[in-house]
Amino acid sequence: MPSNHFSRREFLKRNSLTGLGVVLTPSLVAKTVEHTTTAPPFSLAEPPALMGGKPVRTKAWPTWPIWKPETDEKQLLEVIRSGVWSRAAVVTEFEAKWAETVGAKRSLAVVNGTNALITALMQLDIRGGDEVLVPPYTFIGTVAPVIATGAMPVFVDVDPETFQMDPAKIEAKITPRTKAIIPVHILGLPANMPSILAIAKKHNLVVIEDACQAHMAEINRQKVGTFGDAGCFSFQNSKNLAIGEAGAIVSNNDLFMDKCFSYHNYGNPFGMASGVIGAGTIIQGNKQRITEYQAAIGLAQLKRLDAETTLRNENAAYLKAKIEKIPGIVPYKLYGNVTRAAFHLFPFRYKKEGFKGLSRDTFLKALSAEGIPCSKGYATLNNMPYLNDAFQSKNFRQLYPKAQLDFKNYVERNHCPQNDRLCNEEAVWFTQNMLLGTKADMDEIANAIEKIYTHADKLLSVK
Ligand SMILES: *Cc1c(COP(=O)(O)O)cnc(C)c1O
């Protein structure tokens, strides 16, 4: 038997810590996925798993979120037992640590990333009738906040090599109504901030970074979220810093942060956003506060974020170098000034010409069957019914000329062909938790893609 074959006993030993039950019902605490340092034996001659062959991988992937009772529970239990559950010292501690982590003067924790964006937009005075430039290659959580303020989202097409808003396409979209740009560091890869900031400066536009997927990503050693007027983060369950639900705004501007704080607490006085004594509630507010136990979970997760980010960067670079040799696989590009990415997702473009014309859908099915979870990612956000719903609303009808609310015309004006190609034909993603595995895990991803490449002609017959 070749030396890299496991005996059955060794196989059981290696996998006993995982156990089938754990794989089927992942438990947060009992989870211990054992990772081998070398990929198991693999043969390109084996038929694709989608056609009945042996899958390249059968092991579980690292699960997410991570919870380690030994290190993570002390402060959380203290908070729960204290009975102080509403915003107090632990939230303030989390905000200070988050500001320090990203290198911003201030941070404010709010209920989620969506409301971080709404709060930032409103306190930078983006309101009904304004136009806000956004990329179409993003999560709805970027665009819904723009509409919530009554402003009009205007879509700027993406650079397909980086998946980010293309600075070269921004100026053509600027009108006298344009007030802000929301660059999104989508997939955790930094957007081209130097170019975007230069355009914003020239046209006097507010810049709000959507860094909801880009915790600790850097351009020239400066963390994203700190380049614009405000940076917004999400700590939703899937994000690289997971609390379940929560978000944060960061900025160096004290007056702006005081106003955000006030807004997130009903508009009550805070710092420079203060009325005279006894004035009561002073600005139009909302309630966006997070709880003490959410902050305690965040502080526990924050201790691991740097090491996890390093591991994701190492594995992403290793995987990229392996799969970019396969014809038809074009991994993400980072801009030259990027010193670190967050890799909330690992993206590549799938060119079916390299795979004998095999459709992306069948490629994804075949890759999943090999034990490699994957997705085609976002659908086009610039032509969905939510936009027309907003245009039909009383607010929008009172704010905008009728011609601007013609949905068919809007969709034409906001056509983004590069984004269409990414969404409808080419993009493929792996999720960030997979990048927390070993080099052997990355080898298995590359092996599975190579196997599908080798058998592409046979897979063409799969419906
Ligand atoms: C997750 C996300 C949001 C919204 O954050 P929530 O905490 O889920 O509200 C906004 N923009 C992007 C790009 C996101 O990925």
Side-chain angles (χ1 to χ4, degrees):
M1 193 160 65
S3 61
N4 60 349
H5 269 201
F6 300 141
S7 67
R8 180 169 158 73
R9 184 193 294 175
E10 198 179 350
F11 177 84
L12 289 173
K13 195 173 76 192
R14 278 171 184 272
N15 288 278
S16 61
L17 282 176
T18 309
L20 195 56
V22 177
V23 174
L24 292 174
T25 47
S27 146
L28 195 55
V29 175
K31 159 194 57 76
T32 311
V33 179
E34 197 192 350
H35 295 286
T36 49
T37 46
T38 50
F42 146 81
S43 162
L44 279 176
E46 179 70 25
L50 191 58
M51 305 180 81
K54 195 159 91 47
V56 168
R57 181 182 173 98
T58 48
K59 275 189 307 173
W61 288 92
T63 53
W64 188 261
I66 293 168
W67 187 253
K68 295 184 174 160
E70 328 79 71
T71 53
D72 298 352
E73 277 180 18
K74 188 170 170 286
Q75 192 175 17
L76 178 62
L77 288 173
E78 281 167 13
V79 164
I80 290 170
R81 287 171 184 162
S82 76
V84 181
W85 294 352
S86 203
R87 187 190 162 111
V90 185
V91 174
T92 304
E93 183 188 341
F94 176 74
E95 287 172 340
K97 291 244 164 74
W98 185 246
E100 189 191 322
T101 300
V102 302
K105 189 170 176 192
R106 298 268 296 271
S107 156
L108 174 74
V110 291
V111 288
N112 53 45
T114 306
N115 279 282
L117 284 159
I118 291 175
T119 302
L121 283 162
M122 289 192 69
Q123 298 318 314
L124 290 163
D125 208 26
I126 305 306
R127 301 290 167 120
D130 294 339
E131 290 178 3
V132 177
L133 304 180
V134 293
Y137 200 74
T138 186
F139 179 58
I140 182 68
T142 305
V143 186
V146 175
I147 289 172
T149 66
M152 179 67 79
V154 173
F155 291 94
V156 178
D157 207 355
V158 294
D159 172 355
E161 302 214 307
T162 60
F163 296 76
Q164 310 299 316
M165 175 189 266
D166 186 347
K169 302 192 182 105
I170 292 176
E171 283 193 295
K173 297 281 182 161
I174 294 176
T175 75
R177 289 171 180 259
T178 311
K179 295 287 152 55
I181 309 182
I182 305 183
V184 183
H185 307 288
I186 200 65
L187 315 175
L189 316 181
N192 188 345
M193 288 312 295
S195 301
I196 292 170
L197 288 171
I199 296 164
K201 193 167 174 205
K202 182 172 157 200
H203 297 273
N204 197 23
L205 305 177
V206 160
V207 176
I208 299 170
E209 295 174 72
D210 180 341
C212 286
Q213 300 186 0
H215 315 73
M216 291 191 114
E218 296 172 359
I219 296 164
N220 290 327
R221 308 230 160 270
Q222 182 183 342
K223 300 278 195 307
V224 304
T226 64
F227 288 87
D229 296 284
C232 295
F233 291 88
S234 168
F235 308 125
Q236 186 271 342
N237 229 54
S238 68
K239 303 295 161 84
N240 291 17
L241 194 147
I243 295 181
E245 299 290 352
I249 303 159
V250 301
S251 173
N252 297 333
N253 180 336
D254 279 317
L255 177 58
F256 164 72
M257 289 305 290
D258 283 352
K259 283 162 74 182
C260 288
F261 192 105
S262 176
Y263 178 81
H264 109 301
N265 187 34
Y266 290 120
N268 288 331
F270 186 82
M272 283 182 279
S274 64
V276 291
I277 291 178
T281 300
I282 53 161
I283 67 169
Q284 178 206 347
N286 203 328
K287 194 180 182 193
Q288 309 273 15
R289 302 180 328 215
I290 69 163
T291 61
E292 292 283 274
Y293 41 85
Q294 285 173 293
I297 292 172
L299 285 165
Q301 300 295 319
L302 192 46
K303 293 196 184 106
R304 282 190 289 272
L305 180 61
D306 188 47
E308 287 167 349
T309 305
T310 300
L311 181 58
R312 288 189 192 100
N313 274 268
E314 285 169 7
N315 276 330
Y318 179 82
L319 178 59
K320 181 186 188 191
K322 289 201 101 164
I323 67 173
E324 69 191 355
K325 297 188 188 118
I326 303 170
I329 302 293
V330 187
Y332 65 88
K333 247 196 198 156
L334 297 173
Y335 292 107
N337 53 14
V338 172
T339 43
R340 198 185 202 191
F343 292 105
H344 180 59
L345 293 146
F346 177 106
F348 62 88
R349 282 180 293 155
Y350 171 75
K351 305 267 187 188
K352 67 177 181 204
E353 312 85 84
F355 283 66
K356 309 234 161 65
L358 186 71
S359 73
R360 179 178 63 168
D361 279 345
T362 308
F363 172 80
L364 290 167
K365 268 191 224 156
L367 195 52
S368 301
E370 298 295 344
I372 313 298
C374 50
S375 135
K376 63 182 174 184
Y378 292 126
T380 54
L381 261 188
N382 50 338
N383 53 12
M384 285 185 191
Y386 72 94
L387 292 159
N388 198 28
D389 181 62
F391 299 168
Q392 299 302 317
S393 71
K394 198 194 245 178
N395 267 1
F396 270 65
R397 282 188 284 122
Q398 286 178 351
L399 284 164
Y400 297 91
K402 211 168 172 205
Q404 250 193 303
L405 300 181
D406 181 275
F407 185 55
K408 194 165 161 275
N409 185 263
Y410 176 91
V411 169
E412 275 164 27
R413 277 182 283 132
N414 285 275
H415 180 221
C416 295
Q418 299 298 337
N419 182 63
D420 287 354
R421 197 140 54 97
L422 283 183
C423 294
N424 301 333
E425 295 170 46
E426 293 188 347
V428 177
W429 295 351
F430 302 129
T431 52
Q432 53 87 7
N433 60 304
M434 297 165 76
L435 298 175
L436 296 177
T438 62
K439 295 277 191 301
D441 293 332
M442 301 305 109
D443 289 338
E444 288 191 321
I445 297 174
N447 289 347
I449 296 174
E450 206 185 333
K451 187 175 163 189
I452 295 165
Y453 173 77
T454 306
H455 297 276
D457 50 349
K458 291 184 213 90
L459 282 161
L460 282 173
S461 66
V462 178
K463 281 288 155 288

